[in-house]
Amino acid sequence: MLKFIIRRVAWTIPVILLVIFMTFLMMRQIKGNPFQVTERAVNEATQRTLDRKFHLDQPWYIQYAYYVKGVFTANLGPSLVQRDRDVNDVIKDHFPVSLKLGGLAMLWAVLVGIPLGIIAALKQNTKLDYAVMAVVNAGYALPNFLIATVLIYLFAVKWREHTPFPTNGWGGWETWVLPAAALGHAPMTFFARIVRGSMLETLQQDYIRTAKAKGLRWRRVVGLHVLRNSLIPAVTAAAPLLGFLITGSFIVEFVFGIPGIGRYFVNSVTARDYSVTMGITILLSMIIIFANLLVDILYGYLDPRTRDVRT
Amino acid sequence: MSKRFLWAALVGALAVTAIAGSSTAMTGKTDGSNAAQVLKMSIGSEPPSLDPGLATDTTSSNIILNIMDPLVKLGKPPALNAVPAAAASWKIRGAVVTLNLRKSVRWTNGQPVTAKDYVYGWLRTISPELGADYAYQFEGIKGAKEYTACDPKKADCNALRARVGVKAVGKYTLRVTLVSPQPWFIQQISHHSFLPQHKATIDRYGSKWTEPQNIVTNGPFKLASWKHDASITLVKNTKWRNAKSVKLIRVEHQIIVDATTAENAFSAKNIDVQTTGVASVNIPKWKKTRYWKTFKALGTYYYGFNTKNIPDANQRRAMAISIDRSQIVKYITKSGQIPAKGFTPIGIAGGPSILSQSTMPATAQLSKAKAALAKARNPKRSIRLYHNNAPNHVKIATAVQNFWKQLGLDVTIRPMEWKQYLQFLGPPPNADVDVYRLGWIYDFPDAYNGLVLWKCDSGNNNTNWCNRKFDSLIDKATRTPNTAKRIALYKQAENILTGPQGQLPIMPIYYYAFNMLQRENVKGFVENPTGQWDLAKVSIR
């Protein structure tokens, strides 16, 4: 197992180099001048000075070398647009916010989605099941910006006298609830459906019938045998989902005015802030790589056959 | 490892994730009552920089100018004359401007602000090392352009630096030598680029000197906190030279990028002033309330012609007068914009006189337009109209497409992403461009700042149009201190653009306006035509 993990970790290095290379290439392909923000033309002398300052006057492979060196020395360089800040500052200030938002959304998804799935499965084909699944399916179809807007309108504007939630911002717990619910909504419905599906499958297994036949209490059958086995797909889906929640919260951050990294990521592309785009891309790829690594390890434990094949 | 342990690990990891990360930012939930002199407002973006040398946008400018004390401020519109601020008085002799600084102006660390602080700040801003976008603001100063363009590897930049026409001739006397008289210079120095900078602080903290724990300023407010992308809090500087006149004790800026979010925050009474903007669909709703405020802006939204592709001025005239500007401002932009008569904004000093012969109509003149088109030699009937992709630009382009259809022109609309678009326009523009959209917001309140765009060698002239007579009029204006005479020159220049016999390399569409939402208990919050607000004059009732 250890060998397997070491191998997987070592593989991340070429993957990251490839990510840097691809991002670098694509950023250059889309063209545009990072130093011209408005229609006001940048005069030649200033443009030359800035190109020199940020090495943009060098051939591409020298620039690429600068980036790679920066990544491995943990110095991602200055922002080309926010001139008082380094990419390291941007990540240090804003990544924890996205991390927390993603984590809370995940918590919401797990704590609400899994019980809903269990209830629906245990009460299959009853009104309760239909009601839960109707809500879940309808919810799955709604985009999170719509959910966010509706939540703000209802809880922070219309009923503001009766709720503690502000319309925007990021601070105490009361600012976390609505964004986490909005972002966690889609994975919550995902968990509910996946848990319901796998529970129904598990309930029909022979060992469940055996357990029932030998006279075990139903509660114990569900708790010990059904639940544990039917949560496996949910567990394996959880890690990449968490990666997705941390990296994909841009819209929710935007609507709630949350100072997360997602906004910086998107803005840096439109602003051609090469170093920020590069820095955040690397960070987010690392998270995705790490999440996938986690899944592979989990698979290895849950299903030893996959581990044997890989190592 | 058992599965149970794995579960515990997963839940634990989640809990750690949830708790990890520092808590940032304030939020705006309050009871809505504002008995104390505390202003809560929204701004539409994180200021890219609070360094007077590096800031280029109005958001940064509005924070900087409230924590700093500019040499002069702009008076009431439309004249927007220079009013003494940190400079008590000034003398202008030809191209030499001598400013006498007030001795009562102090840095927040107690040191006096002297002429040396200005010399240091201005030279830093134009230095080749800093690479400031707004170095061009100083090009009117003798030797500034040469110093900015200096390549340290090839030339002796220190020698060039010594030759720049900014000198401290006494502790409180600043002398500026310009390349020509440039009568607007004294208004121009109200801009944040011309603020003093505290050398010791910048030397000590480098690019981090603008963080609240480091920054040294000299204005009516102090920077108390700056949570990036979340909030900026200013507090009253009780030691400011005119602190008695300042009512607000604290100003809390929430950075809210999304218009709808900012509207919600305003509706929920979390903020008293909303400067982020209002979503287009909601404008009619807000206009009916007493919260809606409109201020005139010095700026023009226009379409430019690629005169290589549409060489006949008759065709350009036909296109320019066949669109209905009043419908565009009434049904599309909807928020206080004014149909443009010419390129120079009507609200600028001398505007009505400069524009007196300009010919852009508010309503469409279709028959005149058809007649003009008939006079055009080989008119181009298939037009490619480029614009950057944003909802209002799309709507306006679609309206224009319909107006021009009535002339028998076949218009293809080509939206582009902003930065690609800017590069595409050159100058010179890509050959595919027939017509393009851009806007211009004035840096200083003199018609020169806009008209200079249309000189042959201007980096903002994307039209391929070049007129020597126009150039000589603009050059002459830089040497004409007499206001009436200068306005007469501008009028001639504007006529070459949009007068009865105008060449129309561009067709102005409307003059910009600023909008915001203000609660009724906020007093004295005014946005001037260059987009600035003076918090020292604001109070809460």
Side-chain angles (χ1 to χ4, degrees):
Chain A
M1 190 69 201
L2 192 67
K3 218 166 103 191
F4 167 69
I5 294 174
I6 290 171
R7 241 176 69 141
R8 284 301 314 268
V9 171
W11 261 108
T12 59
I13 293 167
V15 171
I16 286 182
L17 282 175
L18 192 70
V19 166
I20 301 175
F21 186 70
M22 298 288 283
T23 318
F24 184 82
L25 215 66
M26 283 190 276
M27 283 302 288
R28 294 313 146 104
Q29 285 308 309
I30 54 175
K31 298 206 165 73
N33 179 359
F35 308 119
Q36 186 176 9
V37 179
T38 67
E39 38 260 88
R40 194 179 313 282
V42 181
N43 73 21
E44 260 183 69
T46 308
Q47 182 75 42
R48 263 203 314 274
T49 307
L50 288 168
D51 283 347
R52 201 164 50 223
K53 194 178 170 102
F54 294 102
H55 310 299
L56 297 181
D57 56 345
Q58 308 269 2
W60 69 269
Y61 48 87
I62 304 276
Q63 294 184 43
Y64 181 68
Y66 271 115
Y67 277 122
V68 173
K69 187 184 155 211
V71 171
F72 287 98
T73 54
N75 173 15
L76 297 169
S79 160
L80 272 55
V81 176
Q82 288 205 310
R83 297 281 301 276
D84 310 337
R85 300 181 81 196
D86 294 338
V87 182
N88 288 11
D89 294 336
V90 170
I91 290 175
K92 200 178 72 205
D93 287 353
H94 303 291
F95 180 60
V97 175
S98 290
L99 192 67
K100 189 171 184 174
L101 175 60
L104 287 168
M106 189 70 186
L107 210 62
W108 171 268
V110 168
L111 294 184
V112 179
I114 291 180
L116 277 184
I118 295 171
I119 292 167
L122 293 178
K123 305 281 176 192
Q124 195 200 4
N125 294 336
T126 64
K127 276 183 188 158
L128 187 65
D129 176 30
Y130 295 147
V132 168
M133 286 332 280
V135 169
V136 163
N137 283 325
Y140 192 63
L142 295 177
N144 58 18
F145 62 85
L146 182 70
I147 292 171
T149 312
V150 171
L151 288 178
I152 293 174
Y153 175 70
L154 291 178
F155 293 98
V157 178
K158 201 167 181 210
W159 302 325
R160 66 169 183 277
E161 314 292 343
H162 314 290
T163 68
F165 310 125
T167 53
N168 60 290
W170 191 251
W173 69 271
E174 67 277 3
T175 64
W176 305 343
V177 177
L178 299 183
L183 182 62
H185 184 79
M188 182 270 277
T189 61
F190 171 79
F191 276 128
R193 287 177 326 142
I194 203 170
V195 167
R196 177 177 178 273
S198 68
M199 276 216 27
L200 290 178
E201 208 185 305
T202 320
L203 284 169
Q204 281 158 23
Q205 296 294 326
D206 290 342
Y207 61 83
I208 301 296
R209 202 176 315 132
T210 312
K212 271 201 277 188
K214 74 179 182 188
L216 270 182
R217 273 189 305 143
W218 181 233
R219 190 171 290 199
R220 194 166 160 74
V221 175
V222 171
L224 200 69
H225 300 289
V226 182
L227 211 53
R228 263 177 61 175
N229 286 299
S230 42
L231 285 182
I232 293 172
V235 178
T236 51
L241 207 58
L242 184 64
F244 165 76
L245 286 177
I246 293 165
T247 56
S249 54
F250 161 66
I251 292 170
V252 169
E253 288 174 12
F254 191 74
V255 175
F256 284 95
I258 295 169
I261 200 104
R263 257 161 72 174
Y264 270 86
F265 193 31
V266 174
N267 289 341
S268 72
V269 177
T270 52
R272 306 294 190 273
D273 197 344
Y274 299 136
S275 50
V276 174
T277 308
M278 189 69 78
I280 302 178
T281 306
I282 292 162
L283 176 78
L284 299 187
S285 343
M286 279 179 173
I287 291 170
I288 300 287
I289 292 168
F290 179 74
N292 283 324
L293 179 67
L294 204 68
V295 172
D296 283 357
I297 296 170
L298 282 175
Y299 264 132
Y301 275 113
L302 297 174
D303 191 347
R305 283 169 303 179
T306 58
R307 180 180 44 190
D308 295 342
V309 172
R310 284 167 203 217
T311 46
Chain B
M1 205 171 1
S2 72
K3 285 178 195 164
R4 183 175 297 167
F5 179 77
L6 265 176
W7 258 110
L10 182 71
V11 172
L14 277 174
V16 169
T17 331
I19 295 157
S22 61
S23 164
T24 34
M26 44 149 249
T27 57
K29 189 106 178 173
T30 58
D31 54 3
S33 74
N34 260 312
Q37 292 293 324
V38 176
L39 178 70
K40 293 179 180 87
M41 60 184 287
S42 76
I43 49 177
S45 72
E46 154 95 353
S49 175
L50 292 187
D51 184 333
L54 292 173
T56 56
D57 62 303
T58 45
T59 307
S60 308
S61 178
N62 267 319
I63 302 289
I64 294 171
L65 282 169
N66 280 296
I67 56 176
M68 294 293 290
D69 203 350
L71 285 164
V72 303
K73 287 196 168 186
L74 295 177
K76 289 215 166 72
L80 298 170
N81 283 326
V83 175
S89 64
W90 53 85
K91 222 183 284 165
I92 302 169
R93 284 224 179 89
V96 178
V97 180
T98 310
L99 294 134
N100 301 309
L101 311 181
R102 271 183 225 277
K103 297 188 174 87
S104 55
V105 182
R106 303 213 159 243
W107 292 108
T108 40
N109 65 5
Q111 292 168 352
V113 177
T114 65
K116 274 189 184 153
D117 296 319
Y118 288 90
V119 175
Y120 166 75
W122 296 13
L123 289 177
R124 171 176 175 267
T125 300
I126 63 173
S127 68
E129 293 81 36
L130 190 68
D133 290 351
Y134 262 27
Y136 90 92
Q137 283 256 40
F138 294 81
E139 280 179 2
I141 298 175
K142 217 173 152 188
K145 209 172 178 175
E146 292 73 15
Y147 177 44
T148 307
C150 179
D151 185 340
K153 281 182 201 145
K154 292 176 192 154
D156 181 7
C157 296
N158 283 335
L160 287 174
R161 181 186 155 98
R163 259 178 255 150
V164 178
V166 187
K167 300 275 180 265
V169 291
K171 196 174 177 192
Y172 295 102
T173 313
L174 183 67
R175 181 170 295 158
V176 186
T177 311
L178 305 170
V179 288
S180 64
Q182 295 167 48
W184 51 81
F185 181 75
I186 202 73
Q187 284 163 300
Q188 196 182 354
I189 57 173
S190 66
H191 193 272
H192 69 256
S193 305
F194 295 90
L195 290 166
Q197 297 171 23
H198 194 261
K199 183 170 188 296
T201 307
I202 295 171
D203 286 346
R204 183 159 172 211
Y205 298 106
S207 67
K208 297 282 170 286
W209 77 272
T210 52
E211 292 295 321
Q213 66 275 19
N214 307 337
I215 197 167
V216 172
T217 56
N218 70 343
F221 293 91
K222 292 193 281 190
L223 180 67
S225 88
W226 180 8
K227 287 174 177 142
H228 290 287
D229 223 9
S231 68
I232 289 180
T233 303
L234 309 184
V235 295
K236 180 176 172 173
N237 177 7
T238 50
K239 291 188 181 138
W240 186 53
R241 62 179 169 88
N242 204 1
K244 259 189 277 173
S245 70
V246 180
K247 302 274 188 324
L248 294 175
I249 55 162
R250 199 166 74 240
V251 183
E252 293 170 4
H253 300 81
Q254 284 190 49
I255 297 162
I256 309 180
V257 182
D258 183 44
T260 314
T261 308
E263 287 172 57
N264 282 329
F266 186 82
S267 299
K269 298 186 177 174
N270 296 350
I271 50 176
D272 306 313
V273 175
Q274 198 270 53
T275 69
T276 298
V278 169
S280 188
V281 287
N282 295 334
I283 291 175
K285 183 190 95 183
W286 286 110
K287 267 170 112 171
K288 284 187 207 135
T289 67
R290 57 186 181 284
Y291 307 127
W292 178 261
K293 294 273 186 284
T294 297
F295 300 97
K296 284 199 182 101
L298 289 184
T300 308
Y301 183 103
Y302 66 91
Y303 277 5
F305 294 103
N306 180 356
T307 57
K308 268 208 179 125
N309 293 0
I310 307 179
D312 195 319
N314 284 310
Q315 177 173 5
R316 299 200 293 265
R317 176 162 300 274
M319 292 165 82
I321 63 176
S322 62
I323 67 162
D324 199 309
R325 293 172 171 76
S326 59
Q327 284 191 31
I328 289 173
V329 299
K330 192 171 172 195
Y331 299 111
I332 301 176
T333 64
K334 296 185 284 197
S335 43
Q337 292 80 358
I338 300 168
K341 203 173 170 219
F343 185 73
T344 304
I346 192 92
I348 213 160
S353 164
I354 296 168
L355 293 161
S356 58
Q357 286 176 307
S358 292
T359 52
M360 296 297 101
T363 53
Q365 297 176 335
L366 195 58
S367 51
K368 264 192 183 174
K370 281 182 175 161
L373 192 63
K375 276 196 273 178
R377 224 186 293 160
N378 290 329
K380 192 169 195 295
R381 303 247 170 218
S382 155
I383 305 289
R384 281 176 301 258
L385 165 57
Y386 279 85
H387 66 84
N388 59 305
N389 206 352
N392 269 355
H393 302 332
V394 179
K395 286 184 201 158
I396 291 171
T398 313
V400 169
Q401 182 184 39
N402 274 312
F403 291 132
W404 286 347
K405 203 173 177 183
Q406 295 170 28
L407 281 180
L409 302 180
D410 180 28
V411 181
T412 316
I413 298 175
R414 298 264 168 90
M416 281 180 95
E417 189 267 346
W418 177 236
K419 293 256 180 175
Q420 289 182 336
Y421 179 65
L422 288 175
Q423 204 159 29
F424 197 69
L425 290 185
N430 186 294
D432 206 46
V433 176
D434 295 324
V435 182
Y436 66 91
R437 177 218 83 85
L438 276 183
W440 187 254
I441 298 276
Y442 284 62
D443 287 316
F444 53 88
D446 191 281
Y448 174 84
N449 187 238
L451 291 171
V452 72
L453 262 64
W454 309 112
K455 281 182 65 172
C456 298
D457 61 351
S458 155
N460 291 294
N461 181 351
N462 313 83
T463 62
N464 279 322
W465 179 78
C466 175
N467 184 306
R468 296 293 163 197
K469 186 166 181 233
F470 181 89
D471 281 18
S472 73
L473 286 168
I474 299 302
D475 291 340
K476 204 171 165 193
T478 67
R479 303 187 299 267
T480 310
N482 180 293
T483 308
K485 279 186 189 157
R486 204 165 69 254
I487 285 174
L489 290 171
Y490 293 151
K491 184 178 167 181
Q492 287 183 49
E494 178 71 51
N495 278 345
I496 294 177
L497 293 177
T498 64
Q501 308 301 323
Q503 299 267 306
L504 294 163
I506 42 154
M507 47 172 272
I509 297 180
Y510 63 77
Y511 300 132
Y512 284 106
F514 299 123
N515 296 293
M516 64 174 78
L517 303 175
Q518 267 186 34
R519 215 163 284 293
E520 56 273 49
N521 59 346
V522 178
K523 213 181 129 190
F525 199 110
V526 175
E527 185 161 5
N528 86 354
T530 55
Q532 262 129 33
W533 48 75
D534 189 350
L535 295 171
K537 292 190 175 139
V538 179
S539 61
I540 306 285
R541 259 189 293 233

